Amino acid sequence: MKKRFAGFTLIEVLIVLAILGFVSIVSTRMVESGIRLQNSISNHADKIEKLARVWLWIEGDLSQIVNRPIRDELGESAPALSLNNSQLSFTRAGWKNPLAEERSQLQRIQYSISNETFYRRYWRILDRDQDSVPSVQVFNDVETLLIEVLGEKGWVKVWPEEDNYLPGVTDQSEPLPIAVKVHISMKEGESFERIFEVPTFPHESNDSGSNNG
C-alpha cells in the first residue's frame, strides 16, 4: 500500500507567509536603517571636515594680523581690527602671491554670520573704492557665531575700545587686542571654541598694501 504524503494545510501556509513577510519587513528596515546611519555618518564627517577647514582659515588669518588701518568704500578710516556684533574685520599679512601679481601681500578679512551661514570675505585691495567687491567663502549650518577680543579690560565684544580710537581720524596706530576668542555653535547642537593669540608684528605703514589691484 502506497504511503500518502500530506501537504501543507492552509494555516501552515499562512504562518509561513507571515513569517516570510515579517523577515522581509525587518530586513528592509535594517537595510534602510543602515543606509540612514551611513548617510548620517558621511554627512557628519563632511561637516567635521568643513569645520576643520574653517578653523584653518581662522588660524591662518588671525596668526598674521598686522596693525594696518584701511580706508573703506566711502574714504573713511577704519581701524586695523574692528569688532561689533560678532562681525570681525582685520588686516592680515602673508597673502601668498604665486603668480607674482602686482598687489600687496596684505589682505583685508571679515568674518560674519547671516541666515545660519558663516561668511569669510576678503578684498584684493586694502584701501577700497565704491567698486570694490569682496570674494566670499561660506560654511553652512552654523547657528551662532560669537567673537570676543581680549584687551586691557578683559574680554570685550566691541573693538576698538572707545578711548583708544577716534573715528574718521587717519594715521592712527591704535593697539591691537591680545587675543581673539571664536565660539561656533552648529545646528545639531555641537559647540566649538578656540582662543588665538594676536601676534605682535611691527606696525605696517599706511603705504603698505595700497591699491595695487
Side-chain angles (χ1 to χ4, degrees):
M1 184 175 180
K2 295 183 179 180
K3 293 183 178 180
R4 300 180 62 185
F5 295 95
F8 292 109
T9 65
L10 179 60
I11 294 178
E12 291 173 332
V13 171
L14 292 176
I15 292 175
V16 171
L17 291 176
I19 293 174
L20 291 176
F22 175 76
V23 171
S24 176
I25 292 173
V26 171
S27 299
T28 300
R29 290 183 176 177
M30 289 181 64
V31 171
E32 291 176 347
S33 177
I35 293 174
R36 286 195 298 269
L37 178 60
Q38 183 178 4
N39 290 337
S40 176
I41 293 174
S42 177
N43 291 337
H44 186 70
D46 183 58
K47 290 179 181 179
I48 292 298
E49 180 183 356
K50 290 180 179 178
L51 181 62
R53 191 179 308 132
V54 170
W55 286 123
L56 286 176
W57 290 345
I58 295 174
E59 183 175 13
D61 290 337
L62 298 182
S63 65
Q64 302 200 65
I65 290 178
V66 293
N67 196 344
R68 201 304 196 165
I70 68 162
R71 291 190 301 274
D72 62 19
E73 293 84 350
L74 301 178
E76 297 290 335
S77 175
L81 184 146
S82 65
L83 173 64
N84 194 14
N85 292 326
S86 286
Q87 178 174 289
L88 179 68
S89 301
F90 57 93
T91 305
R92 61 155 290 180
W95 186 16
K96 295 181 180 180
N97 190 7
L99 300 180
E101 299 176 272
E102 292 186 4
R103 63 164 173 79
S104 171
Q105 291 189 354
L106 301 182
Q107 188 179 45
R108 191 66 173 182
I109 305 291
Q110 182 187 88
Y111 300 151
S112 63
I113 186 172
S114 178
N115 297 323
E116 297 182 341
T117 300
F118 173 88
Y119 289 90
R120 177 186 185 268
R121 295 179 174 87
Y122 63 93
W123 285 261
R124 291 183 58 83
I125 57 178
L126 294 182
D127 300 318
R128 306 193 290 265
D129 54 38
Q130 294 185 359
D131 295 327
S132 299
V133 178
S135 299
V136 182
Q137 296 168 300
V138 300
F139 177 55
N140 298 319
D141 299 323
V142 177
E143 186 172 11
T144 58
L145 171 69
L146 300 176
I147 301 178
E148 297 178 83
V149 296
L150 179 61
E152 294 181 355
K153 300 178 181 179
W155 290 103
V156 296
K157 298 180 180 179
V158 176
W159 191 272
E161 297 173 300
E162 294 181 357
D163 53 355
N164 286 339
Y165 186 77
L166 300 175
V169 178
T170 59
D171 299 326
Q172 294 185 79
S173 178
E174 79 284 356
L176 292 172
I178 301 168
V180 178
K181 178 165 59 178
V182 181
H183 181 98
I184 295 176
S185 295
M186 308 298 296
K187 286 180 62 177
E188 291 79 4
E190 306 103 319
S191 295
F192 306 89
E193 182 176 285
R194 291 187 62 183
I195 296 176
F196 302 90
E197 182 180 2
V198 174
T200 55
F201 291 137
H203 171 67
E204 297 287 337
S205 70
N206 286 344
D207 292 332
S208 298
S210 59
N211 289 3
N212 292 329

